[in-house]
Amino acid sequence: MLKKSLVAAGLFAATMAVAGAAQAAYPEKPITYIIAFNAGGESDISARFQQPFFKQLTGQQAIIKYQAGAGGAQAWSQLNGMDGDGYTIMGTNLPHIVLQPLQKDVGYKTQDITNVYFFHYTPDAIFVPKDSKFKSLKDLVDFAKKNPGMLTFGGSGSFSSNQLAQQRFSDMAGIKTTYVPFSGSGPAITAVLGGQVSAGFNYSTTFLNQPDAVRMLAVASEKRLPTNPNTPTFKELGYDLVGGAYRGIGVPKSTPEDIRKQVSDLIGKINHNPEFIKKMEDAGFVLTNIPYEKMGQFMAQKQSEYTALAKQLGIVK
């Protein structure tokens, strides 16, 4: 009897050891990393920066695939139909996954998306041409106060982070401005340079593409950006405006809790790698670390914030 008990105990211990080893070995094969947009955008750029670190940390490849359409909604609406084994992950974006379902039926609800990590954001910023009469944010605000509604901001699309920032800033400054949406950051900056709009509410990374043509008056980050040390933050200038387009990682809802945590931990390790940090900061991104265990609070805060702004903009009643 004692011998049988010892054998059983040994088998149990061996089973647990194998199970522990299997868990510790994640990932054991390549991971498919789906981007909900076309190649070349900021979601793709940041994923490409992450890609070599998957291999470096785990010995496994991250294979990037694109599933563009409907501003990301095509991919996000299909996420929960994919295998929840930890080997399919998908890039997610804020405010997109909150605002899209508020506007109309896009095939998913915000709560359908299981985010496990938000790893960076691209700060909103105000741009003007280098030869603009607006040399500072104060110049721009003073003009807007004297000319209600005449100051126009070009931005990357309707109900984007740029438009939310324009609404928030106008409220904080006590000014009335007009937002003009364009089909992306490129066309929006072209409109700024061509004088079609007074200024641009765009993303900070835009400056790196047009450093000799535009002036950045303020950036919505907590601290000045290493790429733009001479540009003040909105907070320095008295406006509590921080944020932009957030990018994270989601998994299918069927993914077990332990695997969700392992994916989150892996992205966190990449996000804390000094080489990765430098690549991201040199490209104008701001790293943020929202792991799976903090996701509920973070998403509740963002959903409340974006929903309130959506009501102001008339997206929802």
Side-chain angles (χ1 to χ4, degrees):
M1 193 71 173
L2 178 60
K3 187 176 180 180
K4 286 185 178 179
S5 297
L6 290 172
V7 171
L11 287 171
F12 176 77
T15 301
M16 293 304 291
V18 170
Q23 184 176 10
Y26 174 85
E28 296 181 300
K29 62 181 181 179
I31 294 171
T32 298
Y33 188 165
I34 298 171
I35 301 299
F37 302 95
N38 288 315
E42 291 186 347
S43 293
D44 180 37
I45 291 169
S46 55
R48 292 289 175 188
F49 284 164
Q50 289 171 315
Q51 196 174 29
F53 296 95
F54 279 88
K55 179 72 172 176
Q56 185 183 112
L57 289 170
T58 71
Q60 298 295 339
Q61 297 281 1
I63 301 168
I64 296 174
K65 294 187 176 180
Y66 306 97
Q67 195 168 326
Q74 180 172 307
W76 296 323
S77 65
Q78 296 177 29
L79 176 59
N80 288 336
M82 299 176 183
D83 289 338
D85 57 4
Y87 292 97
T88 298
I89 64 176
M90 185 179 289
T92 62
N93 295 59
L94 286 172
H96 306 57
I97 60 172
V98 172
L99 294 185
Q100 286 181 352
L102 288 177
Q103 291 174 260
K104 59 184 178 181
D105 181 5
V106 288
Y108 73 92
K109 301 292 184 186
T110 302
Q111 58 268 28
D112 293 335
I113 307 296
T114 302
N115 298 290
V116 296
Y117 209 101
F118 273 98
F119 63 96
H120 86 269
Y121 70 93
T122 314
D124 294 301
I126 292 179
F127 293 91
V128 294
K130 267 280 174 66
D131 60 357
S132 170
K133 62 183 178 181
F134 304 129
K135 305 301 181 188
S136 68
L137 191 63
K138 184 179 182 301
D139 291 343
L140 184 142
V141 171
D142 288 346
F143 174 85
K145 286 182 175 178
K146 293 174 185 175
N147 304 277
M150 285 186 62
L151 185 73
T152 53
F153 281 114
S156 62
S158 297
F159 312 127
S160 63
S161 176
N162 293 160
Q163 186 171 9
L164 297 187
Q166 175 262 345
Q167 180 71 48
R168 291 175 64 197
F169 173 69
S170 298
D171 291 345
M172 290 175 185
I175 57 178
K176 183 179 180 182
T177 65
T178 302
Y179 182 78
V180 182
F182 291 87
S183 60
S185 298
I189 284 296
T190 298
V192 171
L193 296 175
Q196 294 172 251
V197 289
S198 312
F201 232 121
N202 216 294
Y203 299 116
S204 58
T205 47
T206 300
F207 180 82
L208 299 177
N209 299 323
Q210 301 277 0
D212 299 321
V214 297
R215 179 185 300 116
M216 191 158 66
L217 300 183
V219 60
S221 53
E222 289 283 357
K223 300 183 294 185
R224 294 192 182 199
L225 302 179
T227 51
N228 308 86
N230 296 323
T231 299
T233 66
F234 282 99
K235 291 187 81 169
E236 285 180 67
L237 301 174
Y239 304 100
D240 190 16
L241 183 63
V242 175
Y246 290 81
R247 295 181 180 85
I249 300 293
V251 296
K253 190 165 281 189
S254 61
T255 306
E257 286 290 318
D258 63 323
I259 296 180
R260 295 179 187 188
K261 182 69 168 57
Q262 288 181 77
V263 175
S264 178
D265 289 347
L266 174 55
I267 302 302
K269 286 177 183 176
I270 294 172
N271 227 40
H272 285 88
N273 183 291
E275 187 182 346
F276 177 73
I277 292 170
K278 186 175 189 313
K279 278 179 175 287
M280 292 290 281
E281 290 182 344
D282 286 349
F285 297 118
V286 175
L287 293 174
T288 185
N289 290 288
I290 313 296
Y292 180 60
E293 55 267 28
K294 295 182 180 178
M295 194 58 64
Q297 180 182 353
F298 176 76
M299 284 301 298
Q301 176 194 336
K302 287 300 176 188
Q303 193 154 4
S304 175
E305 175 188 320
Y306 295 146
T307 301
L309 288 166
K311 289 179 179 177
Q312 282 185 260
L313 294 169
I315 299 174
V316 292
K317 302 298 182 185

